[in-house]
Amino acid sequence: MKVEPIQVIIDTNILLAAARSTAGTSFRLLILIGDPRFEINLSVPLVLEYEAVLKRPAHNLTMSHQEIDDVTRLFVRKF
């Protein structure tokens, strides 16, 4: 019996929390990306939101804008 994957939408806050710390649950959740038990659902507006929020100067992330673009491209290619 084939089990259908669980449909998942990753909220922008999860991505932001994972970008801030690799020690938390949000980062562990992102590690599961690619696991066949889950199917990530994306839309163009959601990916644009990811980029816009992660690039806000107020978040003081250690990632460059190029690294943020690379991460969002990885999401798009994978799904």
Side-chain angles (χ1 to χ4, degrees):
M1 176 172 160
K2 183 178 178 183
V3 177
E4 293 296 318
I6 298 169
Q7 302 296 306
V8 177
I9 298 172
I10 297 177
D11 186 77
T12 307
N13 290 319
I14 298 296
L15 199 57
L16 180 59
R20 286 185 176 150
S21 172
T22 59
T25 304
S26 295
F27 186 80
R28 287 190 303 232
L29 177 66
L30 292 184
I31 296 294
L32 295 174
I33 291 176
D35 185 309
R37 295 177 294 170
F38 306 103
E39 185 173 318
I40 307 299
N41 295 280
L42 290 176
S43 66
V44 171
L46 184 57
V47 172
L48 293 174
E49 179 181 319
Y50 289 166
E51 289 179 339
V53 170
L54 291 174
K55 289 179 180 179
R56 287 181 188 159
H59 293 306
N60 295 319
L61 298 179
T62 58
M63 297 171 67
S64 70
H65 284 199
Q66 182 61 52
E67 290 170 321
I68 292 167
D69 290 342
D70 292 345
V71 167
T72 53
R73 279 192 206 104
L74 177 65
F75 267 84
V76 171
R77 269 190 243 129
K78 219 163 179 53
F79 309 102

